[in-house]
Amino acid sequence: MTENQVEQPDQVRRDVHVNYAQIMARLINPQNFTGVVGRGGGKSDGILAPHLHDCVKQMPGGSFPLLGTTYMQILTRTLPAILNGLHRIGYERDRNYWVGRYPEKSLGLKLPYYTPLDPKHCMFVRDGQQLSVVPFVGQDRPGSANGLSVDAVLGDEVKLLNKRKLDEEVRPIKRGNRERFGHCHLHHGEWFTTDMPTGKEAKWIFEAETEGAKPHNAEAVKLILDLEQAVYDDQQRLLKGPNASATARISECRKLQDQLRRDLTYYFEASSFVNIDVLGMAYFRQQKRDLPPAKWLAQILTKRDQATEGGFYPSLDRDIHCYDAHNYSFVDKHEFGAVFTDCRKDDDDDPAQSLTIAGDYGASFNCLWVGQRLSRLHIKNQSGFDEVRYLNHFYLPHPHETVDVAQAFCDYFKYRLKKQVDFVFDQTAVGGSGLGKNTYASVVIDTLRKNGWKVTERYIGKVPGHHERYIAWGKALREKTPGVARQRFNRENTLVGTSAMLAAGTKQGKNGFEKDKTDEKYTTTIDQSLTTHLTDGADTLFWWLTVLMGGSGDLRPLMTST
C-alpha cells in the first residue's frame, strides 16, 4: 500500500450492531426510502450513514446533498449523527472524509465530477483515489441548491421540511450523470428519515407510504426478500465447500434484486423499541415519565394522528407561521463542531428596537418569550403587513427558579448593544395586589437591571380569559382580519414552544373554550416544557404585541368578538 493509499472502511471486518429498522433498510435497499422511526431509533447513524457509504462506493465521484430545514440543523444535529455512523464502519476524519475543506493536494485525489468552487458548505468523502461530495443544503439558505446537479438526496428530520421548497428547489436538481451512474439503482434516489409527523404540514411524508403500497412496489419488496432467502440458502451450501451452481445462483439473484430496486419506493415504520438493545429499558422508563401521553405515543411508539384536532391554536401552521433567520456571516466564520449559544447567530432581531418579553412562572416551571413588532414598512419586513415576531424563548424546570430563566435571557443577549426591554406581565406575575416584594415580576426586573438592562414595565392587569385568547389567536393566525398583525415564529429558536402550541388541546368550560392544562398537574412525571406552560407565556406576549399594541390602538373589541 503506497503512502497515498488508505485502507477503505469496507476492507476490514467490523462487528456493528444493527436493529430491525436498519436491517430492513439495508435488505430492501430501494431507490427511494422513507423511514419513520421513533426517537433514538438510530436513523441518522444506522440508516443514512450506511446509505451514504453505498452511494460513495457505487457512484464514486458523485454528488449526494444532505438536506435539512436549516443549515444549522445540518451542522448541529444531522451531520454529527451521520459522522458517528460513518466512524462505526471505519471512516476517519481527514483520512476518509473532509468537512468544509478540500483534501490536501499532496494526496493526489481525483475531485468529484461536480466540484463546488467553495468547499465551506460541504463534505468530501473518499473511495480509493476518487472523491465524492456531500453539499449541505439548508432550506433557509437561498440558493444553496441552485446550480447543483446531484445523484442522490439524503435527509433527516424531514417532517420539518417545507414540501413546496423540496419540490421546487431540490427534486429538480436530481439530473445528469446518467452516462456514469445510470446502471446504479440508487441513482437519483431519495432516502429520508424522521420520527412520526404530528403537524398537518408534515402529512406529505405519508405519500411515500401510499406509493410504497402500490402493487408493483409491494410485490418488488416481497421478491427482494424471497431472493435474499435464496441467497442465504446458497451461502450456507458454500460453507460446506466449493459449489459452482450456488455461486452462479447468488450472482443471478443479486442482479435480479438490483433490477427490482430500481424505481422502487419503500416505506417503513418502527417504534423506538426497535433500538432497545442500544437504548436500554431505563431510557423508555424515563421517556414514559417525562413525556405527555400524546408525545409518548407519537415520538416513542410511532402512533399516528397525535396532533391535536380542534386544539387551542388550530390554525397554527409551521409552513405559514414559522421563518428561518440565521446570521450565516457569523456562523460561517467558525469551524465545524462549533456551538452557537447567543444572539449573534440570529438575523431577525432589529437592534434599533427594544425587545419585548413575557412569561409564565411557578414552582415547577418558568419561561420567558422574546418578541418584537415590526411595521409593514420596516426594512426587515418583506411581507407587506405588520408582523409580530417571536424571536426566542427560554425555559427551565424545577429546581431552577425565575431568576435562572431571566439570567438565561441576559446571557443569550449579552452581545446586544441596545439593552432595553419592555417587560409585559399580568396579575399572575405579581400575586394579590401586586404590592409585595420578591414577586415573579420583581425577580425578572431585578435580574435584568443587574445585567445592565433598562426595563420598561408593562403591567396589563388581569389575564384575558381562555375563550378570549382562543378567539384572538384564531383571527390572528387565519390572517383574514384587516388590521391584525401577522404572527411569525423563529422556527429553530421556538421549536419547543410551537410544538407545545400544536399539542395544546381544548375543553368546553362554563365561559366557552378553555385550554386543556391537565398535563401541568403531573409536575413530577411529565416534562413541563412539553405542557401548556410555554403556551401561556406566548399568550401574554401575543396579547400585548398584537391586541393592545395593535395598529391604531387597543384591538380587544375586534379580536374577541365572535
Side-chain angles (χ1 to χ4, degrees):
M1 186 174 293
T2 67
E3 180 182 355
N4 288 344
Q5 291 177 320
V6 296
E7 192 173 74
Q8 294 304 301
D10 60 351
Q11 293 176 338
V12 177
R13 178 186 175 90
R14 287 179 173 84
D15 293 327
V16 178
H17 176 271
V18 290
N19 62 44
Y20 181 64
Q22 295 160 354
I23 290 172
M24 290 304 295
R26 297 286 288 165
L27 274 179
I28 305 305
N29 196 20
Q31 181 181 42
N32 302 301
F33 172 80
T34 298
V36 177
V37 181
R39 179 192 294 184
K43 298 181 286 293
S44 296
D45 60 349
I47 293 177
L48 293 183
H51 176 64
L52 177 58
H53 169 74
D54 286 346
C55 289
V56 170
K57 296 293 292 184
Q58 297 181 33
M59 295 178 281
S63 178
F64 316 110
L66 187 57
L67 178 63
T69 310
T70 67
Y71 181 71
M72 284 289 285
Q73 173 209 319
I74 296 172
L75 288 185
T76 60
R77 299 199 297 273
T78 303
L79 184 58
I82 287 180
L83 295 183
N84 180 60
L86 291 177
H87 292 164
R88 290 173 59 198
I89 56 179
Y91 282 77
E92 297 179 20
R93 186 171 182 178
D94 296 333
R95 180 177 173 88
N96 303 108
Y97 71 88
W98 295 259
V99 179
R101 69 179 185 90
Y102 296 118
E104 295 79 1
K105 290 185 178 181
S106 61
L107 295 175
L109 302 179
K110 296 169 63 178
L111 293 175
Y113 295 112
Y114 293 98
T115 302
L117 296 178
D118 185 352
K120 180 72 175 178
H121 308 301
C122 62
M123 174 172 70
F124 295 94
V125 186
R126 176 180 191 169
D127 178 56
Q129 294 300 103
Q130 177 67 63
L131 290 170
S132 296
V133 64
V134 181
F136 306 146
V137 178
Q139 289 190 325
D140 65 326
R141 296 195 79 152
S144 61
N146 290 353
L148 296 179
S149 182
V150 308
D151 301 294
V153 177
L154 297 81
D156 190 25
E157 297 186 43
V158 295
K159 71 177 185 180
L160 301 176
L161 290 180
N162 182 298
K163 175 63 160 49
R164 179 187 59 79
K165 289 184 178 181
L166 174 65
D167 290 338
E168 295 179 0
E169 299 175 7
V170 177
R171 284 175 167 156
I173 65 176
K174 295 188 298 179
R175 60 196 177 199
N177 267 340
R178 292 188 183 277
E179 71 283 2
R180 296 187 180 99
F181 306 133
H183 63 282
C184 178
H185 72 274
L186 297 177
H187 193 225
H188 290 170
E190 297 175 351
W191 274 49
F192 292 157
T193 57
T194 185
D195 59 7
M196 178 57 70
T198 54
K200 54 183 175 291
E201 71 277 2
K203 298 301 184 184
W204 63 269
I205 290 170
F206 298 127
E207 294 173 4
E209 181 185 32
T210 301
E211 180 65 25
K214 290 181 178 178
H216 67 283
N217 283 319
E219 186 63 25
V221 169
K222 182 179 182 300
L223 289 172
I224 288 171
L225 293 175
D226 289 344
L227 289 167
E228 193 65 35
Q229 180 63 55
V231 168
Y232 175 80
D233 292 341
D234 277 325
Q235 287 174 336
Q236 296 304 301
R237 295 184 181 97
L238 288 174
L239 293 177
K240 300 175 182 178
N243 187 321
S245 297
T247 302
R249 285 195 300 269
I250 290 174
S251 178
E252 183 62 25
C253 284
R254 292 303 188 207
K255 292 178 182 178
L256 290 172
Q257 284 180 317
D258 285 347
Q259 292 176 20
L260 291 166
R261 289 163 173 153
R262 189 180 301 275
D263 299 321
L264 172 62
T265 294
Y266 179 55
Y267 176 90
F268 182 85
E269 278 186 18
S271 76
S272 301
F273 280 93
V274 76
N275 212 24
I276 191 171
D277 290 337
V278 172
L279 298 173
M281 274 304 300
Y283 171 84
F284 292 97
R285 294 190 188 99
Q286 186 66 45
Q287 294 301 310
K288 180 64 173 174
R289 288 192 295 267
D290 289 350
L291 295 176
K295 294 285 186 180
W296 165 262
L297 290 172
Q299 296 181 358
I300 303 299
L301 299 186
T302 318
K303 298 296 184 181
R304 297 197 189 184
D305 299 323
Q306 300 307 312
T308 303
E309 298 295 334
F312 198 79
Y313 309 89
S315 298
L316 180 61
D317 187 328
R318 282 194 175 121
D319 279 348
I320 297 172
H321 301 113
C322 291
Y323 65 89
D324 302 299
H326 291 103
N327 179 10
Y328 286 120
S329 62
F330 172 76
V331 172
D332 290 345
K333 294 177 183 178
H334 296 76
E335 294 295 325
F336 167 70
V339 178
F340 304 98
T341 59
D342 61 68
C343 64
R344 292 176 295 176
K345 70 177 180 60
D346 299 328
D347 195 36
D348 52 349
D349 174 12
D350 176 7
Q353 277 197 50
S354 61
L355 298 173
T356 303
I357 63 172
D360 187 55
Y361 322 93
S364 63
F365 188 82
N366 288 270
C367 69
L368 284 174
W369 282 75
V370 186
Q372 286 180 328
R373 183 178 175 118
L374 304 183
S375 78
R376 62 185 178 85
L377 302 177
H378 195 281
I379 190 171
K380 282 182 173 286
N381 187 353
Q382 305 297 318
S383 68
F385 300 88
D386 284 7
E387 286 186 359
V388 171
R389 292 191 175 183
Y390 302 83
L391 308 179
N392 210 328
H393 54 34
F394 303 89
Y395 56 91
L396 289 170
H398 178 79
H400 294 285
E401 300 178 354
T402 307
V403 63
D404 301 311
V405 176
Q407 188 61 50
F409 164 85
C410 294
D411 292 343
Y412 188 86
F413 286 101
K414 65 182 177 181
Y415 293 102
R416 195 175 197 268
L417 294 179
K418 185 172 184 176
K419 289 185 168 55
Q420 185 170 325
V421 65
D422 289 348
F423 175 41
V424 182
F425 57 100
D426 56 40
Q427 66 177 16
T428 64
V430 294
S433 65
L435 299 178
K437 295 183 179 180
N438 296 323
T439 62
Y440 294 123
S442 68
V443 171
V444 173
I445 293 167
D446 290 346
T447 304
L448 266 59
R449 286 175 175 162
K450 287 178 181 177
N451 281 269
W453 287 79
K454 180 180 179 181
V455 181
T456 301
E457 300 176 29
R458 305 290 187 183
Y459 179 59
I460 64 174
K462 183 180 179 181
V463 61
H466 284 209
H467 190 75
E468 290 177 288
R469 284 180 272 165
Y470 173 82
I471 296 298
W473 269 112
K475 288 187 176 182
L477 293 172
R478 285 193 294 272
E479 301 184 352
K480 294 182 179 179
T481 304
V484 177
R486 303 293 167 89
Q487 308 297 302
R488 294 295 182 263
F489 297 81
N490 184 302
R491 187 192 315 275
E492 192 83 10
N493 290 347
T494 67
L495 181 61
V496 175
T498 54
S499 296
M501 293 174 72
L502 288 167
T506 57
K507 61 182 181 180
Q508 188 66 43
K510 62 181 180 180
N511 296 315
F513 286 117
E514 294 182 0
K515 190 182 297 184
D516 187 349
K517 301 170 75 66
T518 304
D519 289 341
E520 290 188 15
K521 299 177 182 179
Y522 302 101
T523 57
T524 61
T525 58
I526 290 179
D527 181 351
Q528 293 296 295
S529 69
L530 303 174
T531 67
T532 47
H533 284 300
L534 271 171
T535 72
D536 290 342
D539 288 352
T540 303
L541 188 61
F542 161 78
W543 198 259
W544 174 258
L545 290 178
T546 306
V547 182
L548 300 184
M549 280 185 61
S552 58
D554 191 333
L555 295 182
R556 272 178 292 192
L558 172 66
M559 296 295 285
T560 58
S561 61
T562 56

